[in-house]
Amino acid sequence: MSRKTGKMSRKLLAILTICALITLMLPGYALGDELDDPTTPVEGEVVGETEEEEEAADETEEEVVDEAEDNPSEWAVPEIELAIENGLVTEKVLSNYQDDITREDFCELVVKLYEALSGEEAQLPEVNVFTDTENEEILKANALGIVFGVSETEFAPDANITREAIAVMFYRTLEAVNPSLVDESYEVTFEDADEINEWALEAIGFMSNNEIIGGVGENMVAPQGNATREQAIALVIRTFEKFKDVPVDEVEEEEVVEDEEEEVVEDEEEGEVEGGAEDEAEDEEVVEDEDEEEDEE
């Protein structure tokens, strides 16, 4: 083979080698173009969804969640409807039912309960003893002895209420209507009774045994847990239904009659004592006069 032929062979081999390399590289370029194409779907990506569409979808999901939280629980719906029918709720508590109820909102409910059971309008006191609220329903509830402040001058209207505190306030509401409504004591049988403060034991025993306050499961009452709006509304209507037919006025009249009879008896006894004392004094004067006459003789 001549030297010229050898050089041509080497050139041809080089050309063939370059062609082979180019052929091998072409699929890689094609695959790279496909991945870089913004219209090519990637795993987990929704084809054709823009950033605006994604934001709209997120807002829709949030609205669904908010709507679920705004609606009452299924168990509470009948009692809420009955409370509305009897005028025992305010507009403020008819939303965000799973939110914890505040001291202010609860006062507005128990004043309505007091007026419905007693048939009397709660009176607004002349003096506001609190510096952090001017809500008239709070002042009425305080004047009735249903709620008190967290100090001598502060009420904390936006603070939440524990389950044991709400039981006490319902108990005091019934007591304000008529003390005879809460004249019985009951034993507390909840498993977590040792977590109940002593000042709340009587109220929780009374409210639970009258089937107004129930447990949270496994015979637990969770006294330190907060009460929600829907729970408070349910307790209001349960208390109303339990005691609405109790003849409060008749009980009050009987007590008045008994008081009058006692006063009459006391007056008669005082009259007898006074009359007896006067008679004795007259007898003593007569005796003294007779003794004086004898001495003179």
Side-chain angles (χ1 to χ4, degrees), residues 27-291:
Y29 286 122
L31 181 60
D33 291 342
E34 183 178 356
L35 291 175
D36 291 339
D37 187 353
T39 62
T40 302
V42 180
E43 184 177 357
E45 181 182 355
V46 179
V47 178
E49 188 172 82
T50 64
E51 184 176 348
E52 290 78 7
E53 290 172 336
E54 291 178 358
E55 291 177 356
D58 292 339
E59 290 177 359
T60 301
E61 291 178 359
E62 290 176 0
E63 289 176 359
V64 171
V65 173
D66 290 342
E67 185 177 354
E69 292 178 350
D70 187 63
N71 291 329
S73 300
E74 185 175 352
W75 65 264
V77 171
E79 291 179 304
I80 291 174
E81 291 177 348
L82 189 58
I84 294 173
E85 181 181 336
N86 285 276
L88 295 172
V89 293
T90 62
E91 288 294 329
K92 286 196 297 182
V93 298
L94 295 179
S95 62
N96 299 319
Y97 292 93
Q98 281 78 46
D99 286 355
D100 294 334
I101 193 166
T102 64
R103 286 164 57 83
E104 178 177 57
D105 290 343
F106 181 73
C107 284
E108 295 176 354
L109 295 184
V110 292
V111 168
K112 285 183 174 291
L113 176 62
Y114 167 82
E115 293 178 338
L117 289 176
S118 67
E120 299 178 357
E121 184 177 352
Q123 299 301 307
L124 181 66
E126 296 180 359
V127 179
N128 179 4
V129 298
F130 301 118
T131 59
D132 58 350
T133 182
E134 294 183 359
N135 187 309
E136 293 185 354
E137 306 310 300
I138 291 176
L139 304 183
K140 291 176 183 178
N142 175 249
L144 288 167
I146 296 172
V147 296
F148 301 100
V150 296
S151 71
E152 292 184 358
T153 58
E154 294 182 343
F155 182 77
D158 297 326
N160 296 325
I161 308 177
T162 61
R163 290 168 57 83
E164 67 175 7
I166 209 170
V168 171
M169 292 177 188
F170 275 112
Y171 185 88
R172 290 174 184 163
T173 301
L174 293 172
E175 196 170 33
V177 171
N178 191 291
S180 66
L181 297 179
V182 290
D183 60 355
E184 294 184 52
S185 298
Y186 300 90
E187 182 183 359
V188 177
T189 58
F190 290 108
E191 293 293 329
D192 53 352
D194 58 339
E195 298 179 15
I196 303 172
N197 282 303
E198 187 175 353
W199 49 264
L201 280 171
E202 186 175 10
I204 288 182
F206 180 86
M207 299 297 283
S208 63
N209 279 275
N210 278 280
E211 300 180 345
I212 297 172
I213 288 181
V216 295
E218 299 181 357
N219 195 32
M220 308 284 278
V221 70
Q224 306 308 319
N226 291 329
T228 64
R229 288 182 172 183
E230 63 184 10
Q231 289 171 345
I233 296 171
L235 294 177
V236 166
I237 191 60
R238 290 176 195 173
T239 305
F240 175 74
E241 289 293 310
K242 182 74 176 182
F243 295 98
K244 67 179 181 179
D245 295 325
V246 175
V248 173
D249 292 337
E250 293 180 11
V251 173
E252 289 179 350
E253 288 176 2
E254 290 175 1
E255 291 179 351
V256 170
V257 171
E258 290 176 359
D259 292 341
E260 290 178 351
E261 290 176 352
E262 290 177 359
E263 289 176 1
V264 170
V265 172
E266 290 175 357
D267 291 340
E268 290 176 352
E269 290 176 351
E270 289 177 0
E272 291 175 358
V273 171
E274 291 175 357
E278 290 175 357
D279 293 340
E280 289 178 1
E282 290 176 358
D283 292 341
E284 290 177 357
E285 289 177 359
V286 170
V287 171
E288 289 176 356
D289 292 340
E290 291 176 352
D291 292 339

